[in-house]
Amino acid sequence: MAVRINEKRETRLVAEYLAEKVFPNWYSQGQPLGPALPGLTEAHGVELALRISRPWRPEVDAVTVEDGRLVLIEGKIFKWRDGLGQLPLYKAAVPSTPELEAHRSKPVVMRLVMPWNSPTVEGLARATGGEVVVVSPAWIQEYVDGYHRYWTAEYRTVREEKLRLR
């Protein structure tokens, strides 16, 4: 049986975007948002309370400061609705995020990073106050093309043959 490896493609997509467009500006990947769980700060101090609370705090793919604005970045390859739905929730959590206290007075930008765009995605991003940035390195195009091949008649025949031979 083949082992599937989680390649974290969306994480890689965001990391490459940050390296190309954002560096050397400050940024944080996998930034937890919101406060520590109630009662933990008093019992353990801020730093330990935030570490203990991490599994229960939402996490944005990346956050940076750009042109005096705090930019929340969510990377998606196919599930753009999830990204557009998460970003406003993440924005709402910024005022209660201790790690971002120094940036609370800045306007917040919600940015969806994807390897493609469409008028629908672009329109819905604008309607929710967000924006879409297309980042499409060669490796992601190979993955997207392979994903789309999965649904073709030829590939379906190959899958059915594999199942028949089991």
Side-chain angles (χ1 to χ4, degrees), residues 48-161:
L48 183 55
L50 291 172
R51 282 195 306 235
I52 294 169
S53 300
R54 186 165 183 139
W56 292 276
R57 298 170 72 201
E59 187 176 283
V60 68
D61 288 342
V63 62
T64 189
V65 175
E66 178 183 283
D67 300 325
R69 305 172 303 162
L70 185 68
V71 182
L72 302 175
I73 301 168
E74 188 66 17
K76 295 294 177 194
I77 297 172
F78 297 110
K79 296 183 178 185
W80 58 269
R81 287 176 295 242
D82 292 348
L84 289 180
Q86 291 166 327
L87 283 166
L89 299 174
Y90 296 160
K91 181 178 179 179
V94 167
S96 63
T97 302
E99 298 93 332
L100 299 177
E101 187 173 359
H103 305 290
R104 287 185 186 158
S105 63
K106 294 178 172 72
V108 178
V109 174
M110 299 179 295
R111 184 171 294 159
L112 182 63
V113 172
M114 294 180 47
W116 56 276
N117 198 359
S118 75
T120 300
V121 175
E122 187 71 36
L124 289 171
R126 266 187 306 201
T128 59
E131 61 188 37
V132 178
V133 172
V134 174
V135 177
S136 190
W139 67 265
I140 198 76
Q141 280 313 125
E142 290 173 21
Y143 170 69
V144 169
D145 292 346
Y147 185 86
H148 288 301
R149 265 193 308 278
Y150 181 86
W151 305 105
T152 64
E154 298 83 32
Y155 198 83
R156 191 170 44 251
T157 302
V158 169
R159 287 195 318 271
E160 289 169 359
E161 182 64 18

Side-chain angles (χ1 to χ4, degrees), residues 24-46:
N25 292 351
W26 169 84
Y27 65 87
S28 173
Q29 281 188 265
Q31 175 62 56
L33 300 168
L37 293 173
L40 290 179
T41 301
E42 297 77 16
H44 302 287
V46 175

Side-chain angles (χ1 to χ4, degrees), residues 3-18:
V3 176
R4 295 192 80 181
I5 298 172
N6 181 355
E7 296 183 22
K8 297 192 176 195
R9 291 177 184 93
E10 291 173 346
T11 302
R12 179 179 175 190
L13 186 68
V14 170
E16 288 183 12
Y17 168 73
L18 291 169

